[in-house]
Amino acid sequence: TRSKKEAIIAFIYPPKGCVDAVEMTLADKDRLSDGEFLNDNLINCMLKRSLEQSELNLQKVHVFSSYFFTKMIQSAGKIRGASISKQNAAVSAVRRWTKHLGPKLFDLDFLLVPINEYLHWSLAVIMYPGASPLSMTTEGERYQNNEIDLVSDDEEEHNTAEEDDDATDVSALPSKAIENTITQPTFKSPCILMLDSLRCHNVRKVSTYLRAFLKAEYKKHFGASESEGSIEERFSSDNIPIIAMDDIPKQSNGYDCGVYLLEFASRILERGLGLDPPNLGSVLPIPKLLGDGPPFSRSLFNQNYIRGKRAEFKQFFNEQSRLYKEEQSSSTKRARTSSDSDSDDVVVLSGPP
């Protein structure tokens, strides 16, 4: 049964004493079968695998655990009252999660944040959190160009799923291949991308909490040298807009969302992520995958490809399980050999006749 399998460790990844290593169980393997929903263990393990395989400058990238945003919304959900009180509770719950990064968090190019809510996975990407924001115009005013919408602060007060119909749409992004500019992106402006294969998560809710987190971290490290008003403006929805990517692959079922999240993350960690300046008449930058390969589009990969990824993940799981068993067996043999050696060294002294 699954409950018994949950008690059996299959392997630990990464295997070399990583402080935040993921302990995988036999029950996790069952979730790699077609029709199963991926859990936190699988998401975190496969994200670490993608990060390990990445050729990007990892000093410029951070991947959060899937529990990061879950912790935020669970803490906010315990608070009754104004939105700002919920934001404060959410931020307080994760205040130690980036302690090891300190102010360097704002030197990063992008931060990947897995989102798990209402039995659905999506991926948020915070881009260039420390860059100078584009200058925006009057708050609450909407600009449209190539189906790109700016979400205003007033609209962000609403947190119902129905409001997502008005979320930022970039379905008309350029389809040309992008030159490899991984080391030197040509344009930087802070923003949050939302990659959701069903487009059912509330982008305003996600962006509100992530901006609140960034603002709290910025105050902690730079608040003494910048005014309260300036910090509020820096982390407003105008200056760190949410861009809900619409021209991306969409799942055709209710259970593959986790695999889509992992594939979005894998493409970003493999090729890098950048921005093009806004088109004439627009205020939002245009996200792009860097390096060689196709751009963001609905044909970036298909359902059959996702089915193949499950098989690939299962093969990886089996290989890691085999290596873990071999290591455990070797450790046991070494312990026995050491014990036998200690026994041989024992001298038995006989008493007088």
Side-chain angles (χ1 to χ4, degrees):
T1 64
R2 176 167 286 181
S3 59
K4 290 183 179 179
K5 289 182 177 180
E6 287 174 347
I8 302 175
I9 298 175
F11 63 93
I12 298 172
Y13 193 85
K16 297 179 181 179
C18 181
V19 292
D20 59 346
V22 184
E23 194 173 89
M24 306 297 294
T25 71
L26 290 182
D28 297 327
K29 182 180 177 179
D30 292 341
R31 292 183 174 275
L32 291 173
S33 299
D34 192 40
E36 292 286 336
F37 184 82
L38 300 195
N39 63 5
D40 290 278
N41 269 4
L42 287 167
I43 294 295
N44 291 324
C45 177
M46 296 305 170
L47 284 175
K48 288 180 182 297
R49 175 182 179 238
S50 292
L51 194 61
E52 193 171 78
Q53 294 174 340
S54 175
E55 296 184 2
L56 300 182
N57 178 2
L58 298 185
Q59 300 300 315
K60 292 291 187 178
V61 180
H62 181 70
V63 179
F64 281 101
S65 160
S66 65
Y67 298 110
F68 174 79
F69 193 77
T70 299
K71 186 74 171 177
M72 293 189 80
I73 57 177
Q74 286 178 345
S75 299
K78 297 176 182 178
I79 302 298
R80 294 184 178 181
S83 175
I84 190 64
S85 298
K86 292 179 177 291
Q87 292 174 41
N88 290 338
V91 168
S92 179
V94 295
R95 65 184 183 278
R96 296 181 182 274
W97 286 61
T98 53
K99 184 179 179 180
H100 65 292
L101 291 174
K104 292 182 179 179
L105 182 149
F106 294 94
D107 293 331
L108 299 176
D109 285 342
F110 51 88
L111 301 86
L112 274 60
V113 186
I115 308 295
N116 182 10
E117 193 175 18
Y118 307 125
L119 293 178
H120 178 61
W121 289 104
S122 64
L123 180 67
V125 185
I126 302 170
M127 297 190 66
Y128 309 121
S132 298
L134 288 173
S135 56
M136 299 287 182
T137 51
T138 307
E139 178 181 344
E141 192 172 356
R142 182 179 300 279
Y143 296 83
Q144 294 185 330
N145 186 60
N146 287 342
E147 297 186 14
I148 301 179
D149 298 339
L150 174 64
V151 180
S152 74
D153 275 327
D154 290 338
E155 293 170 310
E156 294 222 19
E157 292 301 318
H158 306 289
N159 284 329
T160 58
E162 290 81 2
E163 289 170 332
D164 283 350
D165 293 337
D166 291 329
T168 307
D169 184 355
V170 290
S171 59
L173 294 181
S175 59
K176 64 179 181 178
I178 303 298
E179 295 273 326
N180 189 343
T181 56
I182 290 178
T183 56
Q184 293 293 332
T186 56
F187 179 80
K188 293 185 178 182
S189 181
C191 61
I192 301 170
L193 305 188
M194 192 73 181
L195 294 99
D196 186 342
S197 55
L198 280 180
R199 201 176 181 185
C200 72
H201 278 158
N202 189 324
V203 295
R204 294 182 182 86
K205 179 179 180 180
V206 171
S207 62
T208 295
Y209 286 131
L210 292 183
R211 277 195 294 264
F213 162 73
L214 291 173
K215 181 171 66 176
E217 288 296 302
Y218 192 87
K219 282 183 178 180
K220 183 194 308 180
H221 300 299
F222 309 107
S225 60
E226 192 165 339
S227 70
E228 181 76 17
S230 175
I231 294 175
E232 289 292 331
E233 182 180 2
R234 175 185 288 273
F235 293 97
S236 69
S237 63
D238 281 348
N239 285 332
I240 305 185
I242 178 78
I243 303 175
M245 302 291 291
D246 186 61
D247 197 15
I248 56 174
K250 296 292 192 293
Q251 66 188 89
S252 58
N253 54 52
Y255 50 80
D256 273 335
C257 49
V259 189
Y260 275 78
L261 179 160
L262 291 172
E263 186 59 23
F264 292 143
S266 176
R267 299 292 174 114
I268 291 170
L269 291 171
E270 175 187 349
R271 294 172 51 186
L273 192 62
L275 296 171
D276 277 336
N279 290 329
L280 184 65
S282 175
V283 292
L284 291 183
I286 302 173
K288 62 180 181 180
L289 285 169
L290 303 177
D292 297 327
F296 283 122
S297 71
R298 295 202 179 200
S299 60
L300 187 61
F301 51 85
N302 57 31
Q303 192 68 43
N304 287 333
Y305 181 87
I306 290 298
R307 192 172 294 113
K309 295 301 291 187
R310 282 185 179 266
E312 177 189 317
F313 294 160
K314 189 173 290 188
Q315 183 178 4
F316 169 80
F317 194 104
N318 290 337
E319 177 65 11
Q320 292 298 315
S321 295
R322 182 185 66 80
L323 293 173
Y324 180 76
K325 286 179 181 178
E326 289 179 357
E327 175 59 29
Q328 293 298 105
S329 177
S330 297
S331 296
T332 301
K333 288 179 181 179
R334 288 195 296 269
R336 286 175 180 171
T337 301
S338 176
S339 177
D340 292 342
S341 176
D342 291 342
S343 297
D344 292 341
D345 292 338
V346 174
V347 178
V348 178
L349 299 177
S350 60

